[in-house]
Every structure is written in C-alpha cells, then in structure tokens.
Amino acid sequence: MEVQDVSRRDLLIGSLTLAGGQLAGWGRTSAAAADGAAGRIVGTSCREGHLLLGGFAFPRATRTERASVVIVGGGVAGLAAARRLRRAGFRDFLVVELEETVGGNARAGRTEVTAFPWGSHYLPLPGPETREVKRLLFELGVIERFDRRGRPTYDERHLAHAPQERLFIHGRWQSGIYPWTGATARDLAEYAAFREAMTRFRDWRDAAGRRAFTIPRAAGAPGAFRELDRISMAEYLRSNGWTSRRLHWYVEYGMRDDYGVGAAEVSAWAGIHYYAARLHDPEYEDVVLTWPEGNGWLVDRMAEPARDQIRVGQLVYNVAQAGNRVAVEVFDLQSRVSYRLLAREAILACPLFVAARLYRPWREKPPAFLSSFHYAPWLVANLHLPAPPDDGPGVPLAWDNIIYESEALGYVVATHQSLRISRGPTVWTYYQSFPHRAPQAVRREFLGGSWETFRDRILADLSRAHPEIGRRARRLDVMLYGHAMVRPEIGFVCGRAREQAISASRGPVHLAHADLSGLSLFEEAFEWGTRAAAQALARLGR
Amino acid sequence: MPSAVYVSVVVIATAGLIYELIAAAAASYLLGDSLTQFSTVIGSYLFAMGIGSYLSRYLRRNLAAWFVQGQILVGLAGGWSAALLFLAFVHTQYFRAILYGLVGAIGVLVGLEIPLLLRLLRQRLALRELVAHVLSLDYLGALAASILFPLFLVPRLGLIRTAFAFGLANVAVGLWSTWIFRQEIVVARFLRAVAVAAMLILGGGLIAAEQLTAWAEVRLYADEVILARSSPYQRIVLTRAGDDVRLFLNGHLQFSSRDEYRYHEALIHPALAAHPDPRRVLVLGGGDGLGLREILKYPAVRSVTLVDLDPEMTRLFSTHAFLRGLNEGAFADRRVRVVNDDAFVWLDRQTDVFDVVIVDLPDPHSFSLGKLYSRSFYRLVRSRLAPGGLATVQATSPLFARRSFWCIVETIGSAGLLPHPYHVHVPSFGAWGFVLASQTPYQPPRRYPEGLRFLTVRGTPALFDFPPDMARVPVEVNRLDNQVLVQYYAEEWRRVFPSSY
Ligand SMILES: Cc1cc2nc3c(=O)[nH]c(=O)nc-3n(C[C@H](O)[C@H](O)[C@H](O)COP(=O)(O)OP(=O)(O)OC[C@H]3O[C@@H](n4cnc5c(N)ncnc54)[C@H](O)[C@@H]3O)c2cc1C
C-alpha cells in the first residue's frame, strides 16, 4: 500500500473540509536559504494526524496486548495522569503518544548549545489553589520549602532571571511590557485604574472564601462573574471608559500571547482570568518560572520515571467499548502495523476534536458540544544564532523581548537562564498567533506555505529591532500548529458546551485535556490528567 | 585598454564602499548605537556622492588629470580615514564634526569618479556599451566590498589597516591612469611624482598602524600603554608611568603595582591566617596571580585551584617576564592548578570542598556578572566549603557604591553564611570593601605570615569597623530574578563617574 499517496490525499481533505486533524507540524523541508540560514518546517504529525480524517484504511490489528489503564496522548495531561498512577504505586498502564517525543504543546528541542522550547515556555508562580502543580514543583526541587504560612520559597535558578522583559518601541528597547515610552498622564492613569480593577478581581472571595479566578479553574467559586463571559475583553475595557491606545495594546498583547485570540473576540472572563488568577507575591513580584527548554523541562522530568510505560510514534485510531473492556487500536508509525490494547480504563489525553475522531460512539454521532470548541493556530520558530546579535539601543537583552505593534509576539532567549558570564551561541524562540484572521484561512496557508515564506516574514519582523538578524541566523526551523489551543471565546468559557464535555467522561473512558478548561494552560492540563487518573483508580478499586 | 579601465572601475568602486563602511563601523564602535551610525553615515555619504556627481559638470578640461588627482586625494583621505577617526576620538572634542567632514569629503570625491570616467571614455566607446559596463562593474565592486568587509577585512586586517590598503589601491589606480590616459595628460610626470609621494605616506601609515592603534588607546588611558591584548572575553591593557604599572580590563582599573599589595593582603590574609589548617584553597577570578602570591605564603596550603574565565589572562601572567615578577612566579608553583572556565558553571559541577574560597571577580557591571553576586551563587560557595571553611569576596567600594557593598553583605547573609564586612584604603581605588563569610563566629587572626607590608594583627579589628559615611544602609538581597545589585551599582558609579556610563 502506498501510504505516502493516501496521506497526501488526506492532507488535501484536511484543507478542504477545514476540520483538520492535529496540525502539530509537518515534514516538508527546504534546502539552505540563499542568505545563509538553513532550516525547515519540523514535525511530522500533521500528515499522520490527518490519517484520522478517514479515507485511510488502517491495517487490521494483528495482535492484542493488555494493560489496566491506557493513556492516549503523552502531553502534559497524559503525563500528569501517568504520574498520578505511579504515585498510587500503580504500574500496569501504558502511555501511547503520536509524536517521537512526549510533551505535546509543551515539548522541547535540543542542540549541543542549549535546549529550547517548541511551545509552552513558562509557568506563573503557583497560587494557593494550584495544589498539584505545587507538589510537583516541590518534588523537583523548584520549590525548596514552605514557610509557616504555607508560602513557597523557590530555588531562584528556576525563576526567570532579570531582566525579564523588554519592549522595542520608537526605535529603542525599554524595560517591561507596558509601553511607558511616550505615555501621557491619561495613559498612565488608565493603566493604573486597570491594574487596580484586576487587583480587586484577584482578591474577591465568596462566602466560602474561594476566589473567583483561580488556577486550576475548578478550584474557584462556581459561576462567579459569569456575566463577564457575555462580553469581550475589549468591550470590558470600553465599558470602564478606558480608551488609551497603549492600554488596549497592552491587553491585546496579553490575549494574543496567552490565548492566541484578540481582545475583541476573547471572553472578558478569560481575559480577566489572565490578570487576576495569578497571585501577586510581594517577595517575587510578577516573576515566572522558566527553563531553557521552557515547560519541556517539567515534561521531561514527569516522563522520566514512567519511561518504561511510554510508547512514542503510535497513532491511536480507534477507541471502543468491548464488553467490560476498552479496546484501544493503535497504528505503529514505524512498523506500519496495528495492534489492539485491551484496557479496563482509558484516558483520552488528547484534544477534544481528536478524541471525537477516536471514540467510536462520537465518531458515529458527533456530540453536540464539539462544534463549540474552536482552535487557534500558532506558529513557533527557533532561530539558531552562532553569536548573539547586538542588544540594540536601550536596555539590554531580556528573557522575553517584544516588538511594539508587531503582528507577532516577539522572542524568548533560551540561554537567558544560563549562569555563564560569557555570551556565546544562542537560540531564540519566536512566537506568533493569528488573532485577526479566520483560523481556517491560517490553516490553509500553513498547508500551502513554503519554509522560505515563513522565514522571510519572521526575519523581516525581527529585523525591525535587529537589522543584522538575517545575516546572524544560522538556522531557522518553523513549527506550525493548526490547532494549538482552544479559543476562549465569548460565551464559551462559562458556557454549557464545556460543561457537557466535562461530564461526557462516562464509564471507563475519561477525557483529560486543557481544552476542558477553555483556557490552554499547563496547570489546567495537569489538573485534568491528575483527576482522570484518580477517577480511573477509584473505578479500579484502588 | 578598456579592460585596464574596467579593472580600475572595480577597484575604485570597492574602495568607495569600503570607506563608507569603515566610517560607519568606526562610528558605531566609538559611539555605540550602530543603527543610527550606519544610517546617518551611509545617508550623508550617498548625499555627498550626489554633490560630487553634480560638481563634475564644472570640470571642463583636463579630465584625465582631474581623475588622477581625484584618485590620489580619495586615496589619501580614505586611507587615513580610520586612523584619523580613532585619533580624533581620543585627542579632540570634535569627533562628530570630523566624522561627517571626512565622510562628506570622501563622498564628494568618490561621486566625481564615475561621471569623469564616463566622459573620459565617451570618445572611445559607444555610450550604450560604456554605461552598461561601467555601472555594472561599479555595482560589482560594491558587492565585493560588502562581502569582503565583514568576512575578511575587519577580522584579518582591522579597520585602520583596511583603510590604508584601499587608500593605496586608489592611488595605484591614479598612477596607472597616467599611463592609460597618457595622450590626454600634459603633466603626467608631475602627477606620477605626487602619486608616489602619496603612496609613501599611505605605506608609512600601513606600517605604523599598530603604533597608531596604541597611540589612540594611550589617550583612553592616562599613561603609556606597554601591552594591549584582546581576548574573546576582554581587552587587556597594561600601562606604565614611572614605577606604577596598572592593569585595565575593558577599561576598568584592576590594580596599580604601587598599592596592589594593600588590596591583595586584605583579600587573602584575614581568611587564610584565621583558618587553623587551610589545605585546599579555591580562587575564583584573580587571573593576575597576585592573590595567589599571598596564598602561597602559607606552608599549610597543599593545593590552590584558580578558576579564571580568560586563558589569555592566566597565560600572560604566567609567561610575561614583568608580570611574572609581580606575582613572584605564583603560577609556576606546583601546588597551583589553573582552570579556565566560567566560575558559576564550574562551581556547580564540583563535588570537592575547600577550606578557603577567595572570590575575586569583576564588579557587577552587567546582568551576567551580577549573577556571580547572587544568593544562588553564594549558596553554591557555601556548599563547597569544608567544615570550618571561610570565604572572602571582593565587594566594590563601600564609600562610592555603598548600597552595592551592603547588598553583597546582605546577600551573603541570606545564603546562610555569617558575613563579616571590612574595608581598607587602596590609594588608586579609594576605600575598598571585602566580605568575609564564615559558618561559625569569626575571630580575626592572631598572627600573619612574615613580611606583610600592610596588615597587622593589631590593626585588623579596626578594618571591621565602619565609619558613618560607609555604615550599613537598608538594601534588598540580590537574587537572579531581581538583580538589584546591578541597578544599585550602575546608579552609584554613575554618580561618581558621570561620563563613563
Ligand atoms: C505555542 C504555545 C505556547 C504555549 N505557552 C504556554 C505557556 O507558556 N504556559 C502555559 O501554561 N501554557 C502554554 N501553552 C499551553 C500549554 O502548552 C497547553 O495547555 C498544554 O501543554 C496542553 O497539554 P495537554 O496535555 O492538555 O494537550 P496536548 O499538548 O495537546 O497533548 C496531547 C498529546 O496527545 C497526542 N495525540 C494527539 N492525538 C493522538 C493520537 N491519535 N494518538 C496518540 N497520541 C495523540 C499529541 O501528540 C500530544 O502529545 C502554550 C501552547 C502553545 C501551543
């Protein structure tokens, strides 16, 4: 069978139906560019993922294996589930992951120079509600101890080193993201009022002492401020009389950066969540946790103890109940044969739109909630620089470097956390979301676009602040995520579809993915994975 | 004949662009902000070329002679441009005026070249051919220049030599042209003589380029420069005035041979002499070996590991006769082991422990250096101290950088060590501070090795006393995530030396 041809047709179907499998990246490569930077579009799972769209007849399973629990997907949720199982002393499980490496949207890459993120790159300091993640951080030594009031002390090596952020505006780099440069008194007053409003949301508590905006969401006061889900973040700003262009840019940037959606479309509830959920620790200000490889650092450490139970390069294509068992059918991408895993419990730790293609009852009759889950496409590029370019005018290079009024989100520096004083080769990770374009149109461009087009666009954007970047970059690889994260749109974040999806976990099949929160965050994924594993254990009588 | 002319066109086009790049590169190097320097220099240069092209209409006769003179002048001005700019920067107040004057003059002369050539050749070739050839070669030369300049010329020759080399090339084209256009030139002999003189002037510059560089630098330092080296990490410069030899790293004074003994005795002995049995010693930084010299006065010392980032530093101070004399051949001592590595990263990988650790690192001028003064770093130092071990940290000036100094004290305290701040007077530095860090309460030494010139047992307790103008101030702990020290330091030294920041 000529798999190559079939999958190419699937690609075509993907672009026509615009439903898409997970477009986590592609296999097209390109030769070195004329101006020195080599590179390619990396990842393979777009082609493989699209096999799920139908039209491809998976070979019949030739053998059967058994495991008490099967976890489909080795992203943060899947690995958190594995961790929860192991913590209970439970070893009879398997994680099956499509890609060659685990991590999903939090996976990382590595060269001899440094490790670098391909997606998720930081974690805010956990607040009082973020219990499970805090425990993970303590186990990994990121949190050294808790004081008498339960407040964590961090090993500062894992905190983003100073200087954390800078913004290129009017030809110079300033520190911080808010565009102070050239701000008027009115701009500053609005910014202060906005911060104050966010602080009030942050400190609000219900009668039971629960905050409204928490991470994970599930720990917050149910239903609090749900009316804010009916308007957009931009409307929320306007309704307070805030019109400052700088404030709007600042909030817009936050939305694009965290959700991949513009302030005009994002639910005000989600927008406020971004500012109000993170607890302000006077000791650490607004510092975040980060590593050269971003949250890939956490992923690797979660995966390491379970390495014997993880299988990569495995495409799950069918999940169905078979008597009192769950049959999980897997296509091994390397050997091109299929096999069946017979499990007592299955955890679908993959995005909902993928789960709907795997789980037979849903494949046959798509659940109603599915059409409310929309996904934002993202582009991530890694630039390999043999030597760092000049810092440019203004404040020196920071961890996160943003260009004012750029279409993209700027870049983070993988070697920023290095303890060396000598500055050598480095990797910059460039992020872009597409808030003002229809996701379908972006996906179509992803399918058709050449590496050269993306490279030229990225270098042109960066050269506004770094004119010499085109000459400096040795290599530039691009990762295209057709469906990177669920869009927290108006009406969706506190809406019924999401609740229905949460309660759709029935019997031995459990859903676990950040999608269920409507907010794509590491901690949310972690929470759902942990919860699904606990449920599975309970059903197994453990 | 045309091919000879075409070669000339490529040469002058290359040279023309090279001068522009040199001026822009020198301006960015000296003034910083390369974006602005490049765009203003290139802009004014192109504008001046336009003026030159326009002015060419006023030259009506003797075109060939004008062309030759133009070449000689461009050669002289362009050839000397880099040297002039560097000298102007250190010796005059009018760097910018000279920069734009020079750029303008060279631009006008270069702008004259091509129109003159086109007119000279008009009689011999069809206009269509002529324009196509000359202009395409002109652009070819520009391409050659833009590739050669960053890849070969600057790294191999440096700016000053590159300029002289292309100056010579321009004059050579002028000289050669006196033969190519011999029918048109009446005063060919005279022009040849002028060209040869110009070549001598430029050749002299080329030969003296090294001295010129040194001379330019001499003025950055007050005294005679006796040695200057660039390593991948820093510029190492040694100056001398009489018997006073000074070391500068990236322009920052490290020691003066007249009073360095005060600094190094104070850095080493309060810890070493107080330790009952200092067998294993670690020095972080201190690639000049002067601290080593003091450490090696203790027979109890079995091994000293010195970790300095820059191999050029340790090589220089172990081989250069005069410098070896300063540290009394410390690097040749069998007990000494040199490691060239980044201190934080190296220490992080260690499992050995030490009885005394000396931290003699550059001041926290930058965020990367600031990491070597962080709580994380001192905790690492603590973890590498043997029971009863002591550490001493050089901690900038408690007088000029008071908050910086106390921030270091505070940070060492937050890392779980007991800090004991003290200070000495080093005339070339002023009041200088150190912090001794111990695990148990510290008693100043009851005896010192023979032959110290500064420290005495009786005088030591007074060093730990801080007069009101250097007394403790409230400061924050320096952590990797806040790097408050770098901010304190920049603010405080900016007040002392407003021009250097
Ligand atoms: C560019 C980008 C930047 C981000 N930055 C941050 C950040 O800084 N901080 C933060 O908190 N969050 C960030 N996020 C969000 C965060 O990465 C996600 O919320 C989180 O990683 C989601 O984890 P998950 O396990 O729920 O899902 P996923 O990461 O989607 O994991 C699903 C896994 O299932 C696998 N899979 C899918 N289908 C199949 C199949 N059929 N068979 C087998 N395996 C399959 C996938 O390959 C994948 O590994 C970012 C996301 C993106 C895209």
Side-chain angles (χ1 to χ4, degrees):
Chain A
M1 180 187 6
E2 182 51 83
V3 175
Q4 195 71 24
D5 278 347
V6 177
S7 52
R8 219 173 280 137
R9 193 174 71 221
D10 289 330
L11 267 176
L12 203 63
I13 295 167
S15 62
L16 293 177
T17 63
L18 306 173
Q22 187 175 34
L23 308 190
W26 326 51
R28 284 168 286 138
T29 63
S30 282
D35 68 340
R40 62 196 192 104
I41 298 177
V42 297
T44 54
S45 65
C46 163
R47 205 171 63 200
E48 318 298 0
H50 280 182
L51 299 179
L52 294 175
L53 285 179
F56 176 65
F58 287 96
R60 283 181 69 89
T62 48
R63 64 190 149 89
T64 298
E65 292 178 50
R66 278 160 206 281
S68 287
V69 179
V70 169
I71 301 170
V72 179
V76 174
L79 294 173
R83 175 173 172 277
R84 179 71 185 79
L85 295 178
R86 288 185 59 91
R87 275 239 320 271
F90 191 86
R91 299 283 184 279
D92 184 20
F93 69 90
L94 274 178
V95 178
V96 273
E97 163 59 45
L98 162 63
E99 302 282 348
E100 284 307 317
T101 51
V102 291
N105 290 344
R107 95 189 90 129
R110 186 180 296 277
T111 63
E112 61 287 0
V113 171
T114 179
F116 48 84
W118 271 122
S120 187
H121 54 290
Y122 75 93
L123 211 58
L125 297 189
E129 300 89 358
T130 321
R131 297 223 173 75
E132 279 300 321
V133 171
K134 229 170 359 200
R135 195 190 299 214
L136 171 74
L137 296 175
F138 182 66
E139 279 169 20
L140 297 178
V142 174
I143 292 179
E144 294 178 326
R145 66 194 129 83
F146 295 93
D147 69 9
R148 252 174 284 113
R149 296 189 2 244
R151 277 204 336 228
T153 308
Y154 295 90
D155 178 345
E156 67 201 53
R157 291 187 194 199
H158 306 297
L159 299 171
H161 299 175
Q164 278 102 13
E165 293 151 346
R166 63 173 188 165
L167 177 71
F168 188 75
I169 176 169
H170 302 325
R172 283 184 79 76
W173 291 98
Q174 61 145 62
S175 54
I177 300 186
Y178 180 83
W180 305 103
T181 312
T184 62
R186 164 109 206 244
D187 286 326
L188 297 181
E190 285 193 12
Y191 178 61
F194 171 75
R195 297 245 60 131
E196 214 173 290
M198 293 306 116
T199 307
R200 280 198 302 275
F201 282 122
R202 191 186 73 202
D203 296 340
W204 183 93
R205 280 167 201 277
D206 72 359
R210 287 172 299 192
R211 300 198 302 145
F213 300 95
T214 56
I215 302 176
R217 273 191 75 173
F225 296 109
R226 67 182 315 154
E227 66 279 5
L228 286 169
D229 189 35
R230 267 181 251 124
I231 59 169
S232 73
M233 190 62 181
E235 252 174 282
Y236 165 77
L237 294 182
R238 279 194 301 272
S239 71
N240 280 278
W242 296 325
T243 55
S244 154
R245 180 154 150 232
R246 275 152 208 278
L247 178 63
H248 278 259
W249 178 85
Y250 173 75
V251 173
E252 170 79 10
Y253 179 82
M255 300 301 105
R256 286 195 286 139
D257 190 38
D258 248 51
Y259 300 139
V261 181
E265 283 173 280
V266 79
S267 149
W269 195 96
I272 291 167
H273 184 277
Y274 171 59
Y275 298 99
R278 297 150 195 230
L279 213 60
H280 178 86
D281 186 327
E283 170 81 11
Y284 295 103
E285 312 254 316
D286 295 316
V287 172
V288 298
L289 293 164
T290 191
W291 299 270
E293 61 272 58
N295 291 346
W297 189 87
L298 296 169
V299 161
D300 288 349
R301 277 153 189 77
M302 284 159 69
E304 170 47 34
R307 63 182 179 281
D308 295 338
Q309 283 114 343
I310 295 177
R311 290 185 187 174
V312 294
Q314 313 287 312
L315 175 66
V316 173
Y317 62 90
N318 186 27
V319 177
Q321 238 148 308
N324 59 353
R325 299 284 146 129
V326 190
V328 176
E329 290 183 309
V330 190
F331 178 58
D332 183 325
L333 294 171
Q334 175 124 50
S335 65
R336 297 269 159 192
V337 297
S338 302
Y339 58 97
R340 179 183 299 108
L341 293 172
L342 264 191
R344 292 170 66 191
E345 302 286 320
I347 297 175
L348 302 186
C350 52
L352 278 197
F353 75 90
V354 177
R357 300 223 151 244
L358 305 184
Y359 189 41
R360 185 183 292 152
W362 288 350
R363 207 165 49 235
E364 283 159 4
K365 182 176 177 299
F369 58 78
L370 197 65
S371 61
S372 301
F373 285 73
H374 301 148
Y375 292 84
W378 277 68
L379 173 154
V380 180
N382 274 300
L383 276 83
H384 299 256
L385 303 162
D390 295 343
D391 284 359
V395 301
L397 191 70
W399 168 63
D400 195 2
N401 303 269
I402 297 148
I403 300 175
Y404 187 56
E405 296 195 328
S406 152
E407 292 263 311
L409 299 162
Y411 60 92
V412 296
V413 179
T415 50
H416 183 80
Q417 297 294 96
S418 156
L419 299 169
R420 295 186 182 276
I421 38 171
S422 48
R423 275 173 66 177
T426 188
V427 175
W428 286 2
T429 309
Y430 176 92
Y431 290 88
Q432 182 170 15
S433 58
F434 303 86
H436 304 302
R437 293 175 51 195
Q440 290 87 336
V442 177
R443 275 173 219 139
R444 213 165 336 177
E445 188 182 272
F446 280 6
L447 283 164
S450 70
W451 171 76
E452 285 81 2
T453 327
F454 293 114
R455 173 204 61 192
D456 291 347
R457 233 191 275 154
I458 294 165
L459 291 180
D461 180 38
L462 285 173
S463 65
R464 294 203 274 164
H466 300 283
E468 74 289 11
I469 192 76
R471 273 182 285 118
R472 294 290 178 90
R474 211 24 84 69
R475 186 171 184 87
L476 189 164
D477 294 321
V478 183
M479 176 92 85
L480 302 169
Y481 293 94
H483 299 75
M485 46 176 77
V486 67
R487 287 164 54 101
E489 294 166 343
I490 303 167
F492 169 72
V493 181
C494 303
R496 289 193 32 127
R498 206 182 59 84
E499 281 160 19
Q500 284 162 354
I502 292 172
S503 46
S505 292
R506 248 185 252 118
V509 178
H510 312 267
L511 287 179
H513 194 274
D515 280 4
L516 293 175
S517 298
L519 306 172
S520 189
L521 296 175
F522 179 95
E523 302 90 322
E524 298 290 346
F526 193 88
E527 170 75 11
W528 290 113
T530 306
R531 193 182 271 222
Q535 279 165 4
L537 284 171
R539 285 175 42 91
L540 291 170
R542 298 286 291 246
Chain B
M1 195 283 305
S3 55
V5 176
Y6 291 150
V7 171
S8 311
V9 172
V10 176
V11 171
I12 62 182
T14 312
L17 196 72
I18 291 282
Y19 301 141
E20 166 183 340
L21 292 173
I22 285 175
S28 342
Y29 175 75
L30 295 168
L31 301 176
D33 193 357
S34 48
L35 188 60
T36 314
Q37 308 311 341
F38 265 86
S39 66
T40 52
V41 165
I42 290 175
S44 7
Y45 190 82
L46 289 176
F47 178 60
M49 279 176 67
I51 297 179
S53 303
Y54 182 76
L55 291 181
S56 69
R57 71 195 296 249
Y58 296 106
L59 303 177
R60 287 161 209 256
R61 272 182 298 274
N62 301 331
L63 294 184
W66 280 118
F67 176 73
V68 171
Q69 288 169 45
Q71 285 306 301
I72 297 172
L73 280 176
V74 173
L76 282 173
W80 276 90
S81 62
L84 275 176
L85 287 174
F86 279 98
L87 293 175
F89 184 75
V90 283
H91 293 271
T92 74
Q93 304 287 316
Y94 313 108
F95 175 75
R96 273 171 217 266
I98 291 172
L99 169 70
Y100 290 109
L102 205 55
V103 164
I106 299 174
V108 166
L109 289 168
V110 171
L112 277 169
E113 290 168 347
I114 296 295
L116 279 184
L117 255 187
L118 288 174
R119 284 165 59 194
L120 266 171
L121 298 175
R122 197 172 45 182
Q123 294 93 337
R124 311 186 187 191
L125 285 170
L127 186 63
R128 186 165 53 95
E129 285 292 315
L130 186 61
V131 172
H133 279 102
V134 171
L135 289 187
S136 57
L137 289 173
D138 188 19
Y139 290 121
L140 187 71
L143 176 67
S146 61
I147 294 171
L148 281 177
F149 187 75
L151 293 184
F152 174 74
L153 297 170
V154 175
R156 289 291 164 79
L157 297 182
L159 289 179
I160 294 186
R161 283 212 198 90
T162 300
F164 281 123
F166 279 88
L168 279 169
N170 268 127
V171 180
V173 167
L175 189 58
W176 189 9
S177 303
T178 58
W179 277 283
I180 298 176
F181 301 112
R182 57 187 168 276
Q183 282 94 348
E184 282 98 319
I185 301 177
V186 211
V187 288
R189 269 220 198 137
F190 168 70
L191 286 179
R192 279 174 203 153
V194 176
V196 169
M199 286 180 100
L200 287 177
I201 295 172
L202 289 166
L206 189 61
I207 292 163
E210 191 66 272
Q211 281 96 311
L212 282 170
T213 318
W215 190 39
E217 205 149 32
V218 168
R219 290 300 301 249
L220 291 177
Y221 305 97
D223 309 322
E224 182 197 352
V225 172
I226 56 173
L227 183 151
R229 290 282 155 81
S230 290
S231 79
Y233 305 104
Q234 55 201 349
R235 180 87 178 144
I236 306 169
V237 171
L238 214 57
T239 68
R240 185 197 340 246
D243 65 346
D244 181 12
V245 174
R246 290 171 179 235
L247 173 72
F248 295 84
L249 297 181
N250 290 337
H252 298 283
L253 177 61
Q254 301 300 303
F255 69 75
S256 150
S257 63
R258 270 201 201 144
D259 56 22
E260 57 78 14
Y261 65 90
R262 284 184 159 233
Y263 178 95
H264 290 103
E265 286 184 11
L267 173 71
I268 302 299
H269 300 296
L272 260 105
H275 197 287
D277 190 21
R279 285 156 184 263
R280 298 152 295 179
V281 181
L282 171 66
V283 184
L284 301 173
D288 53 25
L290 300 174
L292 275 185
R293 178 192 68 204
E294 299 300 316
I295 294 169
L296 295 171
K297 291 180 178 164
Y298 294 81
V301 170
R302 297 278 168 77
S303 72
V304 192
T305 308
L306 182 137
V307 183
D308 192 292
L309 181 59
D310 192 352
E312 186 62 25
M313 266 296 277
T314 45
R315 201 188 58 77
L316 207 55
F317 280 84
S318 45
T319 53
H320 189 280
F322 178 78
L323 300 175
R324 233 174 39 206
L326 277 184
N327 62 35
E328 296 173 5
F331 285 103
D333 193 294
R334 287 227 317 279
R335 293 172 284 173
V336 175
R337 181 169 78 103
V338 174
V339 179
N340 293 117
D341 203 346
D342 233 303
F344 208 143
V345 180
W346 182 85
L347 201 57
D348 204 18
R349 285 196 301 258
Q350 289 316 297
T351 45
D352 297 346
V353 292
F354 300 90
D355 300 307
V356 176
V357 178
I358 302 292
V359 186
D360 188 16
L361 294 164
D363 281 5
H365 304 291
S366 66
F367 286 109
S368 29
L369 282 167
K371 294 185 180 185
L372 297 173
Y373 291 82
S374 65
R375 184 176 65 177
S376 271
F377 182 72
Y378 294 129
R379 284 170 57 167
L380 200 53
V381 169
R382 188 186 69 169
S383 73
R384 302 275 60 91
L385 280 181
L390 298 171
T392 302
V393 178
Q394 90 82 6
T396 189
S397 170
L399 186 63
F400 305 127
R402 191 163 157 192
R403 282 190 300 157
S404 307
F405 176 79
W406 289 104
C407 172
I408 297 170
V409 176
E410 197 77 30
T411 305
I412 291 174
S414 78
L417 288 162
L418 300 173
H420 311 279
Y422 60 100
H423 62 96
V424 297
H425 181 72
V426 183
S428 57
F429 283 10
W432 210 257
F434 301 89
V435 188
L436 195 147
S438 64
Q439 294 150 318
T440 51
Y442 165 78
Q443 288 299 322
R446 274 188 291 272
R447 54 181 297 229
Y448 282 123
E450 298 290 301
L452 299 194
R453 295 163 70 192
F454 173 63
L455 283 183
T456 60
V457 169
R458 256 194 33 208
T460 301
L463 307 182
F464 290 83
D465 183 53
F466 281 79
D469 63 351
M470 299 195 280
R472 185 184 284 268
V473 278
V475 282
E476 279 182 63
V477 168
N478 186 45
R479 292 198 317 245
L480 291 171
D481 59 298
N482 65 16
Q483 294 252 26
V484 286
L485 176 62
V486 177
Q487 290 155 39
Y488 292 150
Y489 186 85
E491 281 163 25
E492 292 177 319
W493 283 101
R494 189 169 354 171
R495 255 183 280 129
V496 183
F497 296 118
S499 60
S500 64
Y501 281 88

